[in-house]
Amino acid sequence: MNTAELFGTLVFNDDVMQTRLPEDTYRALQKTIARGSHLELDVANIVADAMKDWAIEKGATHYSHWFQPMTGVTAEKHESFVSPADQNHGKAVMEFSGKALVRGEPDASSFPSGGLRATFEARGYTAWDPTSYAFIKDRTLCIPTAFCSYGGDALDKKTPLLRSVQAVDKQALRILRLFGNNSASRVNVTIGAEQEYFLIDKEVYQKRPDLIYCGRTLFGAKPPKGQELEDHYFGAIKPRVSAFMKELDEELWKLGICVKTEHNETAPAQHELAPVFSIVNIAADHNQLIMELLKTVADKHGLTCLLHEKPFEGVNGSGKHINWSLCTDTGINLIEQGETPFVHAQFLLFLVSVIKAVDENQDLLRVSVAGAGNDHRLGANEAPPAIISIFLGDELTEILTAIENDAPYQGREKTLMEIGVTALPHFPKDTTDRNRTSPFAFTGNKFEFRMPGSAASVADSTVIINTIVADAIGEFADILEKSADFKKDLAKLIRANIKKHKRIIFNGNNYSEEWEKEAEKRGLLNLKTTVCALPCFITEKNTALFKRQGIFSENELNSRYEVMLENYCKILHIEALTMVDLMKKEIIPASIAYQNDLAKLIKNKKACGGFNCALEDRLLGKLAGISFIFLDRLEELEKNITDLKNGEPLDVARYYQNTVVRSMAALRQTADEIENMLGRRYLNLPLYGEMLYSVN
Ligand code: ADP
Ligand code: MG
């Protein structure tokens, strides 16, 4: 099969629906998809039947509601299509009803809910989301669903995402109407999520318990060669990796996922993949599938894919760049310069809403990328710092400054920019030499949010971007709808907001120390860690914002806050235990064996007639000295873990941050020093260089 034939073969997409559903059923379903209207059970029954027949023809034996609980990974519970046809079970029939399609009841007591769903009422339910296509994976028909409690509280990442899309849609349409656009009936959020990851040899991976339990290395001395030569970035792809990428492409194509680029990233063993953008609900589902397939396809090739934000210290970590834009159902990108002055004014208004939204909600954007893993990455000289700012490029910034000051813009010709009257000078799309250090960059027709970690769900940050932009647009719409002189008030509004929020615009080097100082002067937030950031999630301002936009009730918000705190603590707990264990099982025995050999050698040499033992003496002395510090630090970490007391989740998280994280860092430092002194044969574990260069 060629690529075009392969594409989407495992997806119950629009083509399949058109050929397999009776016309009136197809129309009813389309209406539900486009407008979210209710689907009658008899229609659902027909759809379910067609889905089942199609899936069975493709070799599926099971179906599953596929959902995204707050664990961050997807969940599925497989049910067989097979039912006994008679009481003696002599025959079987393949069954799948409309009821089973529309609603599922997984036993969900073990999913995190932050107290929303007490365990005695264990069942949440999953509800079919017809806006994302069903697909086949592992001979199972997967039905994308939202996951809620019986009280209707969202227990997943998809529900708030869908709500936030509705919020932007509603507010953006108000603006479009003000600009005389009556043809668009929907504004969609489009997302392209670039995914970074590491690939290492599976056998090497299996020898590192820290990678197995924590997804990242907890110790390991720097290899002689890291990424300093920058010879991996865009370098030739190795045959084994290339074979992996080829199969991955095919598997993704079958699921209707179009991957545009696959190249080597900066760090050794690091790669990146970018799918072609799509509407956000599908992009979020696709990104989950991409992460899953990266792992399973790698495994087939004797490789392991690491999605952790920082698997290796000393080389770059992995992010997930979220490209975000707004697009009408008539195909107009609202974050793009148009042709006429009036469209330019509309573009400026959307642009300024994003600027206002980001400036007023730096805290929420920071919360949306918070997590134990990303704490190692943000601000670590390879990823944006924890300070949120927007990159616009010099030209657009100058245009905004000219507008703000009502001064002529010195472009190719000197022009006074009258909003809605003059056309914006054409500024370049700036794709080649744009600022890669910015956390939130305007890239010509979209914004690129570069802070999210590689393992995050697309939904995490997109919910926030959608919500804050919806709120800003809504505020503008409130003002403009009341205006008696639209053009004049529009210009006033844009000017006032540039003035008010320009502090968030920064085109320089975000990695520099000067920026940190400058940002502080500008009064921008610098929430360096997850624990600093998370409390912002539930402030009065943000609780009201989420309520106003219909994204989270106060209960839902508090539960999410708790889940994030718990998750942070659990990850650190596992890491600390793994580290202690590895120190005792690997580093100490290796160090002792080496010291023992040295001591024996010294003794033997002396017995043989007093040979010079300078080397052995010095090494032994050094190791013995360092072992003492090592033991102190190991005991401190162990004590920190045992001293742990239950309490308010935020206090516990603070405890982890202030004691456990610190003592792990100290212990790692000595462990790495010891590792550096040991002969290779004393260590059972693969070293950094052996992991980073394990794939040939
Ligand atoms: P580059 O990173 O070289 O600038 P692109 O701009 O083409 O490459 O794309 C980066 C990512 O942004 C891709 O995943 C792409 O599909 C996505 N993207 C492009 N246009 C949009 C858009 N309008 N909305 C959302 N994502 C987009
Ligand atoms: Mg990018």
Side-chain angles (χ1 to χ4, degrees):
M1 242 193 260
N2 66 30
T3 309
E5 283 166 354
L6 205 64
F7 195 79
T9 43
L10 296 181
V11 185
F12 194 77
N13 57 23
D14 195 60
D15 277 356
V16 183
M17 289 183 209
Q18 273 195 50
T19 35
R20 295 210 170 225
L21 295 175
E23 195 165 329
D24 51 340
T25 311
Y26 173 75
R27 271 214 215 99
L29 184 56
Q30 283 310 308
K31 216 171 101 191
T32 303
I33 293 173
R35 292 193 220 134
S37 54
H38 179 72
L39 196 71
E40 297 300 331
L41 191 62
D42 54 338
V43 182
N45 274 329
I46 301 172
V47 178
D49 219 42
M51 266 189 191
K52 178 198 70 186
D53 290 344
W54 169 82
I56 290 170
E57 278 168 38
K58 301 265 176 195
T61 52
H62 288 67
Y63 69 90
S64 170
H65 276 199
W66 186 76
F67 57 105
Q68 297 168 31
M70 288 187 260
T71 51
V73 290
T74 55
E76 44 197 81
K77 181 189 170 202
H78 296 190
E79 315 248 6
S80 170
F81 285 128
V82 185
S83 301
D86 54 45
Q87 280 185 333
N88 302 329
H89 292 205
K91 258 194 196 157
V93 284
M94 302 297 259
E95 272 184 355
F96 183 47
S97 66
K99 210 166 139 246
L101 165 66
V102 173
R103 194 176 164 106
E105 296 184 2
D107 174 15
S109 51
S110 312
F111 292 112
S113 76
L116 269 187
R117 182 184 22 69
T119 15
F120 61 83
E121 42 164 334
R123 285 183 313 174
Y125 71 89
T126 48
W128 180 31
D129 164 24
T131 58
S132 183
Y133 297 137
F135 57 90
I136 295 171
K137 181 172 67 78
D138 257 352
R139 295 171 41 135
T140 301
L141 170 67
C142 295
I143 299 143
T145 52
F147 178 41
C148 296
S149 77
Y150 267 88
D153 294 313
L155 294 174
D156 67 349
K157 305 214 172 196
K158 172 166 271 190
T159 308
L161 181 64
L162 295 176
R163 290 175 184 163
S164 73
V165 173
Q166 269 179 16
V168 185
D169 173 44
K170 186 171 153 198
Q171 304 306 336
L173 278 177
R174 289 173 70 193
I175 298 290
L176 291 184
R177 298 294 181 254
L178 285 168
F179 277 87
N181 179 334
N182 291 311
S183 55
S185 59
R186 224 198 133 105
V187 173
N188 276 313
V189 175
T190 53
I191 294 288
E194 301 166 49
Q195 177 73 50
E196 290 179 340
Y197 60 95
F198 279 83
L199 271 187
I200 63 168
D201 186 88
K202 189 171 152 189
E203 277 180 34
V204 170
Y205 166 82
Q206 280 167 337
K207 291 187 190 133
R208 288 287 305 211
D210 45 358
L211 283 181
I212 294 173
Y213 298 140
C214 314
R216 74 178 184 102
T217 51
L218 299 174
F219 69 98
K222 280 204 178 80
K225 181 177 185 242
Q227 63 191 40
E228 21 327 78
L229 294 180
E230 298 185 332
D231 50 355
H232 185 68
Y233 192 53
F234 279 69
I237 296 176
K238 294 176 180 133
R240 227 172 125 195
V241 175
S242 162
F244 152 82
M245 284 179 173
K246 229 172 133 193
E247 185 174 342
L248 178 68
D249 273 347
E250 281 178 12
E251 292 305 314
L252 291 171
W253 287 334
K254 286 186 208 163
L255 289 171
I257 303 171
C258 195
V259 176
K260 212 184 82 185
T261 55
E262 279 166 7
H263 63 77
N264 290 354
E265 257 301 326
T266 316
Q270 195 184 28
H271 305 275
E272 183 189 295
L273 163 167
V276 174
F277 71 98
S278 61
I279 63 169
V280 59
N281 188 19
I282 291 180
D285 281 0
H286 280 181
N287 184 254
Q288 292 292 346
L289 286 171
I290 287 172
M291 290 196 285
E292 199 178 319
L293 280 168
L294 275 167
K295 288 190 170 273
T296 49
V297 176
D299 194 68
K300 280 204 227 163
H301 288 256
L303 301 165
T304 298
C305 171
L306 304 174
L307 289 172
H308 194 281
E309 287 81 3
K310 191 79 176 180
F312 304 102
E313 207 175 79
V315 297
N316 281 8
S318 299
K320 180 173 318 211
H321 296 173
I322 302 210
N323 293 273
W324 177 97
S325 189
L326 295 175
C327 190
T328 64
D329 56 347
T330 48
I332 299 164
N333 182 347
L334 300 178
I335 308 294
E336 191 165 30
Q337 240 187 329
E339 295 303 326
T340 64
F342 209 49
V343 174
H344 281 163
Q346 182 185 298
F347 161 73
L348 277 177
L349 189 65
F350 279 109
L351 183 76
V352 170
S353 345
V354 176
I355 294 172
K356 168 182 158 73
V358 171
D359 184 32
E360 285 179 349
N361 300 284
Q362 300 159 43
D363 53 351
L364 280 180
L365 284 168
R366 175 65 185 90
V367 168
S368 80
V369 297
N374 222 14
D375 273 2
H376 299 284
R377 179 180 158 261
L378 293 179
N381 264 326
E382 73 222 22
I387 308 162
I388 313 266
S389 66
I390 296 184
F391 168 84
L392 289 182
D394 290 338
E395 237 173 313
L396 186 54
T397 309
E398 278 165 31
I399 293 171
L400 292 193
T401 310
I403 292 172
E404 180 201 344
N405 301 327
D406 212 359
Y409 168 70
Q410 185 65 61
R412 235 172 274 154
E413 23 184 314
K414 212 168 175 163
T415 34
L416 192 67
M417 230 101 44
E418 270 188 81
I419 291 162
V421 179
T422 47
L424 285 187
H426 213 79
F427 47 88
K429 258 198 195 159
D430 217 0
T431 45
T432 43
D433 116 76
R434 65 177 179 221
N435 187 332
R436 293 194 172 271
T437 67
S438 173
F440 205 96
F442 176 69
T443 53
N445 57 355
K446 60 186 185 292
F447 283 94
E448 183 176 351
F449 189 31
R450 301 207 182 94
M451 290 171 97
S454 47
S457 159
V458 166
D460 295 337
S461 1
T462 315
V463 165
I464 301 301
I465 302 175
N466 294 349
T467 305
I468 62 179
V469 171
D471 207 58
I473 303 176
E475 218 181 295
F476 288 172
D478 285 345
I479 295 168
L480 293 174
E481 278 168 359
K482 288 190 208 107
S483 159
D485 185 341
F486 181 70
K487 253 184 207 163
K488 191 167 144 244
D489 288 339
L490 174 68
K492 216 168 105 191
L493 189 69
I494 289 177
R495 193 164 291 137
N497 276 281
I498 297 173
K499 201 182 278 305
K500 194 163 165 202
H501 299 295
K502 64 180 174 190
R503 64 169 184 170
I504 199 76
I505 298 166
F506 179 62
N507 296 324
N509 180 5
N510 281 260
Y511 296 179
S512 70
E513 270 171 45
E514 295 82 63
W515 169 231
E516 205 172 330
K517 285 186 208 132
E518 164 71 19
E520 197 184 334
K521 263 194 235 150
R522 292 190 192 186
L524 301 181
L525 288 177
N526 188 0
L527 301 163
K528 287 195 174 168
T529 63
T530 296
V531 176
C532 298
L534 283 184
C536 301
F537 203 24
I538 52 163
T539 55
E540 218 170 288
K541 166 200 138 219
N542 292 335
T543 310
L545 164 67
F546 287 123
K547 221 172 176 175
R548 191 160 62 238
Q549 292 304 327
I551 314 300
F552 295 124
S553 67
E554 199 168 339
N555 261 345
E556 286 173 328
L557 188 62
N558 288 332
S559 79
R560 258 149 228 268
Y561 169 64
E562 236 169 74
V563 168
M564 286 177 90
L565 282 172
E566 263 175 25
N567 188 258
Y568 174 83
C569 297
K570 282 180 188 161
I571 289 173
L572 280 167
H573 198 70
I574 294 168
E575 287 188 351
L577 292 179
T578 306
M579 189 162 192
V580 168
D581 200 50
L582 276 174
M583 294 302 127
K584 290 184 175 171
K585 292 203 167 63
E586 303 289 346
I587 297 293
I588 294 179
S591 160
I592 286 176
Y594 189 37
Q595 290 182 60
N596 193 30
D597 281 355
L598 288 169
K600 271 201 241 156
L601 181 60
I602 293 168
K603 207 170 127 204
N604 288 345
K605 269 179 150 179
K606 284 193 174 143
C608 287
F611 290 105
N612 185 316
C613 292
L615 175 96
E616 297 82 352
D617 270 341
R618 273 239 289 281
L619 281 176
L620 185 57
K622 226 170 147 184
L623 258 177
I626 229 177
S627 298
F628 180 70
I629 303 171
F630 174 83
L631 180 67
D632 253 8
R633 294 183 170 183
L634 179 62
E635 282 176 352
E636 190 190 305
L637 178 59
E638 273 193 292
K639 184 172 175 304
N640 286 340
I641 307 170
T642 30
D643 280 355
L644 190 79
K645 288 185 192 63
N646 282 338
E648 281 298 303
L650 181 61
D651 293 334
V652 181
R654 280 200 181 118
Y655 176 83
Y656 272 102
Q657 155 85 48
N658 295 333
T659 64
V660 177
V661 170
R662 254 181 228 174
S663 43
M664 279 176 73
L667 181 58
R668 173 176 189 152
Q669 197 205 346
T670 20
D672 290 357
E673 270 178 60
I674 291 176
E675 186 196 299
N676 257 332
M677 294 173 67
L678 300 178
R680 179 66 191 94
R681 70 186 169 85
Y682 292 93
L683 279 161
N684 286 318
L685 299 165
L687 310 182
Y688 254 49
E690 292 158 3
M691 288 185 274
L692 288 170
Y693 299 97
S694 61
V695 182
N696 295 306

